[in-house]
Amino acid sequence: MRLIYPPRCTICGEQVESDFALCGPCWRDTPLIAGLVCDLCGAPLPGEGGGEAVHCDDCMRVARPWAQGRAAMLYRDNGRKLILALKHGDRQEVLRPCAQWLAAAVRPMMAGGEVLVAPVPLHWMRLLKRTYNQSALLAQAVGKQLDQPVCPDLLIRTKPTQSLGGLTHDNRFQELDQAIRVHPKRAHLIEGRTILVIDDVMTSGATLSASVQACQNAGARRVLIGVLARAAKDA
């Protein structure tokens, strides 16, 4: 079978040594995040860490309701290609490497305890149009990597929201106000627990903030976030 269908690079399709791998050039152009990062959003920061939590300019300017957050890569170059392939191209084969990278990024926040993994939700009208929620697929794959329970419908969108692209920072938060709630039949899963909310991309943080606040209102003890890509300036 490998002679007939040799492994191909997940991004460009060039032949590689193993399934779901990247070729050398694509690996070089995939902006995975390493080193010192913002403790709230995972954006890379200059310098070396001294053990204390540090925050990026965005997270010092905007209050974040979650305890900690991490991102696997920056939303540029191949990071953007992978997101768009998953979000709009139905390229679900990219889930495996992406989930491995994201799981590695969020694992240090978990401190060995159980975490309930949940995705940022889509409104049912958008879900009907797209047929799948890429954040839910990512949450399922990350939960499997971490060996942690996943609740794909822990959160629901109670009203349709317009695309956040092109909106100002304040308008993004206004658009998400009261738009996300805990599923009434899942509320008992939250109280006193640590929740890890998963999304594909973080830009302003408005969608994640609404999701985290819904978990906190339902009694979550601690809420973390993990995003596949962070829209941020390179350090």
Side-chain angles (χ1 to χ4, degrees):
M1 289 296 291
R2 284 188 174 272
L3 291 175
I4 301 173
Y5 301 107
R8 298 288 180 179
C9 172
T10 301
I11 294 175
C12 73
E14 287 295 314
Q15 189 168 335
V16 291
E17 294 184 358
S18 59
D19 293 325
F20 308 103
L22 302 183
C23 67
C26 285
W27 180 261
R28 180 195 62 212
D29 293 335
T30 301
L32 296 173
I33 294 173
L36 181 65
V37 299
C38 173
D39 194 50
L40 287 172
C41 74
L45 297 173
E48 299 180 1
E52 70 282 358
V54 291
H55 300 144
C56 68
D57 290 344
D58 284 349
C59 291
M60 287 191 290
R61 184 173 62 253
V62 180
R64 306 297 191 190
W66 55 84
Q68 286 182 287
R70 292 293 184 273
M73 56 186 163
L74 289 169
Y75 186 61
R76 60 170 174 78
D77 304 325
N78 283 341
R80 185 173 186 272
K81 289 180 181 179
L82 287 166
I83 293 292
L84 294 179
L86 176 60
K87 192 169 187 174
H88 301 296
D90 199 16
R91 292 275 311 282
Q92 297 186 23
E93 71 274 12
V94 308
L95 278 169
R96 182 178 294 189
C98 289
Q100 290 174 343
W101 299 332
L102 182 50
V106 302
R107 189 174 282 112
M109 297 189 299
M110 296 170 52
E114 183 181 87
V115 173
L116 179 62
V117 184
V120 164
L122 281 180
H123 189 265
W124 68 267
M125 293 174 61
R126 185 167 295 179
L127 184 59
L128 190 64
K129 181 179 180 180
R130 189 177 295 173
T131 72
Y132 66 93
N133 177 0
Q134 73 280 355
S135 296
L137 296 177
L138 187 59
Q140 291 276 22
V142 169
K144 185 175 181 179
Q145 288 286 328
L146 297 173
D147 194 26
Q148 296 292 332
V150 180
C151 185
D153 61 347
L154 185 72
L155 300 170
I156 56 174
R157 289 212 187 209
T158 57
K159 64 178 183 180
T161 54
Q162 64 174 308
S163 173
L164 300 184
L167 296 182
T168 66
H169 179 275
D170 290 343
N171 286 342
R172 285 170 181 254
F173 280 82
Q174 290 172 5
E175 183 68 17
L176 269 298
D177 186 42
Q178 305 297 315
I180 296 177
R181 292 283 186 271
V182 172
H183 193 301
K185 294 183 179 179
R186 305 289 181 262
H188 67 283
L189 298 175
I190 292 183
E191 188 169 0
R193 298 181 72 174
T194 298
I195 310 296
L196 172 62
V197 178
I198 297 291
D199 204 1
D200 54 351
V201 181
M202 176 182 171
T203 305
S204 67
T207 305
L208 285 159
S209 290
S211 300
V212 169
Q213 287 168 350
C215 292
Q216 292 174 335
N217 291 341
R221 179 179 65 84
R222 188 167 182 257
V223 186
L224 313 169
I225 66 154
V227 294
L228 182 55
R230 173 70 166 106
K233 294 180 180 179
D234 201 355

